Amino acid sequence: MLQLSTPSLRDSILRHLTYSFGKDPEHAILEDWRMALSYAVRDRIVDAWFKATHQTYETGAKRVYYLSMEFLIGRLLEDGIVNLELVEEAKSALAEFSKDYNDVLADEPDAALGNGGLGRLAACFLESLSTIGCPAHGYGIRYEHGLFRQSFVGGRQVEQPELWLGQRHAWEFERPEVRYRIGFGGHVTNHGETVRWHPAEEVEAEAFDTPVVGWKGRWANTLRLWSGRAIHPFDLAAFNHGDYAAAAAPEALARTISRVLYPDDTTEQGKELRLKQEYFLTGAALRDILRRFNNQFGDLRKLPSKVAIQLNDTHPAIAGPELIRILHDERGIPFDESMDIARNTLSYTNHTLLPEALESWGEALFGRLLPRHIQIIDQIDNEHANRNPSRTQSMRADHQVKMGQLSFVMAHKVNGVSALHTELMKTTVFEELHNLHPDRIVNQTNGVTPRRWLLACNPRLAGLITESIGEVWVDDLEQLEKLEPYIEDAGWLDRYGKVKRDNKVELSNWMGQAHGFHVDPDMIFDVQIKRLHEYKRQHLNILETIAHWLEIRDNPDADWTPRLKLFAGKAAPGYFFAKDIIRLINDAAAVINADPLTNKYLKIAFLPNYNVTLAERLVPAADLSEQISTAGKEASGTGNMKFALNGAPTVGTLDGANVEIRDHVGAENFFLFGMTAEEVMERRMVESHAQKAIAADPRLARALEVIREGRFSPAEPERYHNITGNLEGADYFLVCSDFSDYWRAQREVDAAFKDQQGWARMAAFNTARSGWFSSDRTIRGYMKDIWDAKSLLD
Ligand code: 26V
């Protein structure tokens, strides 16, 4: 072990700078320092990693495998430093070389291998699995290009390719010896009882490993990402004929499979490459899992007792048929037994009920790419129908393969991500399957890792908490409730308030420097940061902002509570309505921020290129958390938890985990508005509901009117007619119907914020009562109710 003879971090940095990167301190650029520090930290992580791996082998413990098309991990250096408790040492070591700690951290690219909530949840889970000491692997794809970079030109979103591997990356270990052939297409042959698949095309999946270290470095698991390569990377014959493009073609073709993350997180576009990616990830992961199982245990009938495979949404749902194919076709286990082994090994998390996001594949495409799997799916479907004669819904309907149904049938547990979402699963998409298998659906409400989302991102608040109740909260977040008595102490509450104010000053300074956007840190920092979607209703927020602006203009000398409306988030490149909302917010910001009559009371900013790093800046500085989705549509939300934990009360609907947040922090510390999920369903039946809501609320009518007449787009008055037309027409997401109550809640926020001490109390109760939203709690729930896995640290 390094422990006893561990060189100081300073020596270790210098050693790596010299011998790993061939630089002396005089000539090193920032990136060299970042890499040298990363390697110095990584060395210590590797020690924990080996120890964990050996312990897992020695104990023969059950292993958990988390299969996900997305891991939105962000930067890793600070995470490693914080978890190893090296912050002070790293700062002083760099200071000795006259390097600033924050500059070095900021040099690391943000790994955006995910779209939003689903990918970030996977990253929080990996960190919690390591903190808990549950033997686990994450399996994903090593996309060359993560989620696109967003900028604004004339207020409009412009997408550029993301290049996280453009700089050196410190955290991965290439494993050239770990490669599997993944086939596509071809045909199937029958030899008596046995069936063989003969793929027409093959690519190789190569492993790249990133260690994921838990709190205090007690344990580290592996994130294994697959990269596409050609089996015969270079066509020498073509090259010798002078056809250089053809010579390089096999490699280029194979690499496209892991080239880019699909940037659309709701609409399934039925793209062949996406299905290939899904099978590429799943096929490689299963081969790897079975190789490891075989080396250690052998008897495949014992698979469910030693292996738990979690499907992060339906994206890796092909795991069911693929596992059966291996067990049955390749290892000769009878079909029904193969199916039972697979089901007892697999479980599935559903992350959305939006019909447009439920994956299904055209059978022609599916059958062409995976001819054996589509046969197996039919056999699964028949077997399921035979075992459940009352069943009416097949997983093969309308010439489509329904991945949700397949996942449900092939999983021993299916979980929702909040209490409300789980109940809705039972009464909507999975109603019939739930009635057939009433014990299968379970709830595991999402959580967030407190190491990244409090300790690392909010050092001032973390410091105050640790000084008050000790360090116990870091891996036992419900200990935060011990803060409650302190809230009654006026001196302590002042300090809590000052932490928030300092965080706001820091954010204001950064916005000034980075974006030339200057704000008064005494305004309410009202923040909505998330992907753009109609159901998330950023347009409800901007409508209320516009109405509020008009009201201030009517009476500019009244005692308005100054407010900064902060937005950030990306729209899928093909989601034109969402892109219009971004443009409207930017256009409205330009007009409203320039209004001398109102701009000390109201400002708007849409910060570009929202990512994990930007969230880490914004969350600690927020006063108010906007969680305003149409009830029934947001499966859980996890940003909502980060804000509550960091002392930003929510203005929100009874949707997703908002419901549970409100239950925990107390109704008096939460600004509730809007219809319930049930009321939403009823309201949709009411004829002209939007028109009626507009007629009943002159503020709403006026806000829509100024948008329609082109106040924010004078050169092109009709620019937002698509938005106003939608809201005045079908208004499926009930923006108009919820407007008046949202307005009311926002005015309550204004009044409450005037009492700064009262506000600090509310914020502090949010912190003290958010401990339940740790992803450690969530993971322990999965271990107990779904995986039957044990911690090797307890
Ligand atoms: C769907 C698709 C389909 C097209 C290709 C790319 C792609 C990528 C992702 C998705 C599924 C999106 C579902 C999702 O992200 N759900 C979010 O999951 C969070 C974690 O459970 C939860 O907090 C959010 O409420 C939920 O919207």
Side-chain angles (χ1 to χ4, degrees):
M1 287 305 300
L2 264 176
Q3 230 64 326
L4 280 179
S5 56
T6 302
S8 72
L9 200 61
R10 182 197 172 281
D11 293 348
S12 195
I13 294 170
L14 195 57
R15 188 166 49 83
H16 278 298
L17 193 71
T18 312
Y19 298 108
S20 301
F21 303 107
K23 287 283 182 85
D24 59 29
E26 288 72 50
H27 298 98
I29 60 170
L30 189 61
E31 189 179 322
D32 297 321
W33 288 106
R34 193 252 301 165
M35 288 298 290
L37 173 60
S38 300
Y39 275 29
V41 172
R42 196 180 76 172
D43 289 347
R44 288 158 168 79
I45 295 176
V46 168
D47 290 333
W49 197 24
F50 285 1
K51 196 176 129 228
T53 307
H54 290 145
Q55 205 179 328
T56 307
Y57 267 104
E58 278 158 22
T59 54
K62 187 168 185 178
R63 297 171 192 257
V64 170
Y65 295 102
Y66 199 80
L67 268 58
S68 178
M69 287 288 281
E70 308 192 6
F71 287 93
L72 192 44
I73 52 188
R75 291 175 176 158
L76 293 179
L77 177 52
E78 188 181 17
D79 202 47
I81 292 174
V82 165
N83 273 357
L84 295 176
E85 298 183 292
L86 292 170
V87 177
E88 292 315 316
E89 206 179 329
K91 282 184 182 167
S92 52
L94 289 174
E96 283 190 47
F97 301 112
S98 312
K99 294 292 145 206
D100 178 70
Y101 177 69
N102 290 317
D103 290 349
V104 172
L105 294 188
D107 182 65
E108 184 179 356
D110 179 293
L113 309 184
N115 273 285
L118 169 147
R120 183 54 237 174
L121 184 76
C124 282
F125 279 6
L126 288 184
E127 200 273 354
S128 280
L129 281 160
S130 291
T131 289
I132 288 168
C134 174
H137 281 73
Y139 279 111
I141 293 180
R142 183 178 179 271
Y143 302 106
E144 250 172 79
H145 303 284
L147 190 62
F148 65 85
R149 279 187 68 83
Q150 176 199 54
S151 60
F152 301 132
V153 174
R156 267 186 291 195
Q157 169 174 296
V158 173
E159 302 101 28
Q160 277 137 355
E162 185 277 346
L163 271 176
W164 70 295
L165 294 171
Q167 291 123 294
R168 279 173 287 170
H169 180 60
W171 303 105
E172 61 182 13
F173 293 89
E174 185 171 3
R175 305 294 192 203
E177 76 283 13
V178 184
R179 290 189 194 169
Y180 301 98
R181 288 183 172 209
I182 307 299
F184 300 99
H187 64 284
V188 172
T189 54
N190 289 292
H191 314 267
E193 280 295 279
T194 52
V195 184
R196 279 275 171 279
W197 174 31
H198 310 274
E201 180 201 334
E202 284 188 313
V203 296
E204 223 164 39
E206 184 192 355
F208 286 74
D209 286 349
T210 298
V212 180
V213 70
W215 173 234
K216 284 189 189 284
R218 290 192 203 112
W219 190 267
N221 285 316
T222 306
L223 171 59
R224 176 161 278 188
L225 301 179
W226 301 105
S227 180
R229 318 177 89 253
I231 290 169
H232 307 291
F234 187 65
D235 186 340
L236 189 61
F239 188 87
N240 288 338
H241 284 103
D243 192 346
Y244 307 125
E251 179 66 10
L253 211 64
R255 281 177 55 183
T256 42
I257 206 158
S258 52
R259 183 92 65 193
V260 41
L261 165 79
Y262 270 78
D264 192 336
D265 72 345
T266 42
T267 46
E268 186 42 63
Q269 299 171 330
K271 288 268 166 64
E272 178 169 331
L273 182 60
R274 169 79 187 181
L275 183 55
K276 277 188 158 183
Q277 287 185 335
E278 294 183 352
Y279 181 61
F280 174 77
L281 157 67
T282 311
L286 282 179
R287 278 161 188 70
D288 205 39
I289 292 167
L290 291 177
R291 177 192 49 80
R292 197 174 291 115
F293 176 84
N294 244 353
N295 287 343
Q296 208 177 354
F297 305 107
D299 180 2
L300 281 166
R301 290 175 172 82
K302 297 218 172 82
L303 193 68
S305 67
K306 292 296 173 187
V307 169
I309 300 175
Q310 190 69 33
L311 307 180
N312 196 23
D313 216 294
T314 56
H315 315 152
I318 194 67
E322 173 70 354
L323 192 47
I324 295 175
R325 191 187 66 78
I326 297 170
L327 298 177
H328 179 64
D329 292 2
E330 294 186 0
R331 311 283 171 95
I333 299 176
F335 191 90
D336 55 344
E337 202 184 339
S338 298
M339 190 168 149
D340 289 337
I341 294 173
R343 189 187 335 90
N344 290 328
T345 307
L346 297 170
S347 42
Y348 151 58
T349 307
N350 174 281
H351 293 271
T352 180
L353 299 173
L354 295 183
E356 64 270 32
L358 294 175
E359 254 188 320
S360 65
W361 293 100
E363 60 186 15
L365 165 65
F366 201 101
R368 184 157 39 78
L369 223 53
L370 300 167
R372 176 56 183 147
H373 296 82
I374 201 161
Q375 294 177 340
I376 293 174
I377 290 172
D378 281 336
Q379 225 171 325
I380 294 170
D381 199 38
N382 286 335
E383 181 77 25
H384 185 253
N386 290 339
R387 291 188 198 180
N388 302 279
S390 67
R391 196 195 78 169
T392 65
Q393 289 165 9
S394 160
M395 59 189 71
R396 291 275 262 110
D398 315 320
H399 303 289
Q400 299 276 313
V401 184
K402 311 257 179 210
M403 304 309 268
Q405 314 271 317
L406 171 64
S407 302
F408 193 108
V409 169
M410 285 311 303
H412 66 285
K413 292 287 174 199
V414 176
N415 77 286
V417 289
S418 73
L420 174 66
H421 166 69
T422 304
E423 289 314 302
L424 289 172
M425 281 169 67
K426 297 177 186 170
T427 53
T428 61
V429 274
F430 294 123
E431 184 175 30
E432 182 178 75
L433 288 170
H434 169 62
N435 289 331
L436 293 174
H437 309 282
D439 298 331
R440 198 163 296 184
I441 295 185
V442 295
N443 177 235
Q444 298 297 340
T445 297
N446 285 167
V448 301
T449 167
R451 273 71 63 186
R452 182 178 291 258
W453 295 109
L454 179 50
L455 183 59
C457 77
N458 197 345
R460 291 186 184 92
L461 182 55
L464 176 63
I465 296 170
T466 297
E467 193 190 310
S468 310
I469 63 170
E471 207 187 43
V472 286
W473 60 274
V474 177
D475 63 351
D476 185 6
L477 200 62
E478 285 179 76
Q479 297 282 337
L480 289 181
E481 69 187 27
K482 295 206 173 118
L483 290 173
E484 286 206 27
Y486 291 87
I487 298 175
E488 306 308 330
D489 171 348
W492 190 90
L493 197 58
D494 270 358
R495 292 181 65 198
Y496 185 94
K498 187 167 178 316
V499 162
K500 181 64 78 181
R501 156 109 198 157
D502 289 349
N503 290 343
K504 290 169 71 178
V505 169
E506 189 179 324
L507 177 64
S508 308
N509 291 340
W510 176 80
M511 288 192 295
Q513 281 158 15
H515 297 289
F517 184 74
H518 299 278
V519 286
D520 174 0
D522 286 324
M523 299 175 109
I524 305 183
F525 281 19
D526 169 340
V527 185
Q528 187 173 19
I529 49 176
K530 49 184 79 246
R531 281 297 284 255
L532 270 105
H533 275 299
E534 285 164 277
Y535 83 80
K536 294 178 190 282
R537 299 198 296 191
Q538 281 92 351
H539 47 343
L540 172 59
N541 188 344
I542 195 65
L543 264 180
E544 187 274 334
T545 307
I546 291 165
H548 186 45
W549 171 62
L550 295 169
E551 196 124 317
I552 301 174
R553 284 182 64 87
D554 286 345
N555 192 0
D557 298 322
D559 184 24
W560 302 105
T561 307
R563 195 186 289 233
L564 168 65
K565 289 268 190 178
L566 271 174
F567 294 86
K570 293 174 181 175
Y575 190 174
F576 299 106
F577 196 92
K579 290 177 125 177
D580 276 350
I581 296 174
I582 293 182
R583 194 178 187 190
L584 171 61
I585 296 172
N586 279 323
D587 276 353
V591 171
I592 293 173
N593 293 345
D595 185 343
L597 220 51
T598 61
N599 70 10
K600 60 176 182 295
Y601 295 125
L602 183 61
K603 280 205 169 183
I604 306 169
F606 201 129
L607 299 173
N609 203 37
Y610 181 53
N611 58 15
V612 172
T613 303
L614 183 56
E616 289 164 1
R617 282 185 195 287
L618 293 172
V619 166
D623 290 310
L624 184 68
S625 160
E626 297 269 355
Q627 308 300 337
I628 62 176
S629 51
T630 313
K633 291 293 177 191
E634 189 69 89
S636 162
T638 45
N640 48 2
M641 301 167 187
K642 295 163 197 166
F643 281 114
L645 182 61
N646 284 274
T650 305
V651 57
T653 48
L654 282 180
D655 200 15
N658 293 354
V659 178
E660 289 148 273
I661 291 177
R662 181 166 171 271
D663 287 344
H664 276 86
V665 305
E668 67 286 9
N669 302 307
F670 187 109
F671 297 92
L672 178 68
F673 79 95
M675 286 177 282
T676 62
E678 225 167 279
E679 288 165 346
V680 162
M681 294 186 220
E682 285 163 18
R683 183 64 61 92
R684 286 216 182 97
M685 304 295 155
V686 174
E687 208 184 316
S688 312
H689 53 78
Q691 284 299 329
K692 286 174 180 155
I694 297 166
D697 190 333
R699 292 189 182 99
L700 170 59
R702 188 148 76 126
L704 285 166
E705 172 62 28
V706 298
I707 297 171
R708 201 186 318 104
E709 72 184 22
R711 275 286 268 285
F712 308 115
S713 54
E716 189 192 344
E718 68 286 354
R719 185 175 294 165
Y720 298 112
H721 284 191
N722 197 22
I723 294 180
T724 53
N726 178 296
L727 296 182
E728 289 157 351
D731 190 18
Y732 180 77
F733 295 100
L734 299 157
V735 168
C736 294
S737 294
D738 267 344
F739 180 91
S740 306
D741 205 30
Y742 181 52
W743 171 275
R744 178 210 37 87
Q746 290 289 19
R747 302 293 75 80
E748 279 176 22
V749 168
D750 285 338
F753 198 76
K754 287 221 176 300
D755 169 11
Q756 279 290 293
Q757 219 193 346
W759 188 272
R761 266 179 72 82
M762 215 189 294
F765 275 116
N766 269 268
T767 299
R769 296 172 176 177
S770 288
W772 191 75
F773 297 96
S774 167
S775 46
D776 300 344
R777 184 268 310 150
T778 313
I779 287 296
R780 288 191 195 281
Y782 278 82
M783 289 168 66
K784 179 167 166 292
D785 304 339
I786 300 178
W787 301 330
D788 189 26
K790 302 267 173 304
S791 160
L792 294 191
L793 291 177
D794 282 347

